[in-house]
Amino acid sequence: MPDPKQSPMDRALTLAEQAAGRGEVPVGAVIVHAKTGEILAACGNAMRASKDPTAHAEMVAIRKAAEALGNERLEDCDLYVTLEPCPMCAGAISLARIRRLYYGAGDPKTGGVDHGPRIFSQPTCHHAPEVYGGINEARAGQLLRDFFQAKR
């Protein structure tokens, strides 16, 4: 049972830890309805379990939140994720019209927001959320380093 006093980013970090325990890359995502504060979706990476390369934590959370709202537009929603979204996830965030994106660790190798293609800065991007990076960055980054170090 999640701790109701836990911040959305702390909840995402807990989900990332749980994902690592299942052998998934430790990324967690939480979508919160900005007006009500309700958590609409809380997910960890599920690519291995679902055998789905698109089952990044953000993608699964976006699908669940859209289902919960009965709408593909998540305009009044904020996304908290432990790792900078990749280009695929950044594209989905834009299409979902998410209001704000909060992420933990930056991803110089495969990030799509502040690194790599910088999806939200492209003229073809229809919607760019407000972006706040570096939230609990040290903890998020350490989870990833520990996970990949154990794999080597």
Side-chain angles (χ1 to χ4, degrees):
M1 193 78 169
D3 179 353
K5 296 177 187 164
Q6 197 175 38
S7 75
M9 185 57 83
D10 284 334
R11 176 77 179 120
L13 286 160
T14 298
L15 292 162
E17 290 167 350
Q18 292 169 353
R22 296 188 307 272
E24 302 277 359
V25 175
V27 178
V30 173
I31 296 181
V32 177
H33 194 282
K35 290 184 178 176
T36 67
E38 177 186 3
I39 291 178
L40 299 172
C43 311
N45 266 356
M47 294 180 299
R48 293 181 67 139
S50 64
K51 297 174 182 48
D52 177 357
T54 70
H56 292 196
E58 304 97 303
M59 298 293 285
V60 177
I62 288 169
R63 289 178 191 129
K64 287 184 177 186
E67 185 176 332
L69 290 176
N71 193 336
E72 77 280 7
R73 299 261 171 116
L74 305 177
E75 295 168 324
D76 292 324
C77 296
D78 298 337
L79 170 62
Y80 297 79
V81 62
T82 58
L83 181 65
E84 175 185 351
C86 72
M88 172 185 70
C89 293
I93 290 164
S94 175
L95 291 171
R97 306 295 198 269
I98 288 177
R99 184 180 82 130
R100 291 188 181 129
L101 166 65
Y102 299 90
Y103 74 83
D107 189 351
K109 186 175 180 183
T110 60
V113 176
D114 288 325
H115 297 90
R118 301 174 192 253
I119 297 298
F120 304 138
S121 299
Q122 300 302 317
T124 55
C125 181
H126 295 292
H127 167 77
E130 293 177 32
V131 177
Y132 303 92
I135 313 296
N136 288 29
E137 183 174 18
R139 184 174 165 203
Q142 192 62 53
L143 276 171
L144 289 157
R145 284 188 295 280
D146 291 348
F147 177 82
F148 287 113
Q149 185 173 7
K151 293 281 184 196
R152 293 185 181 112

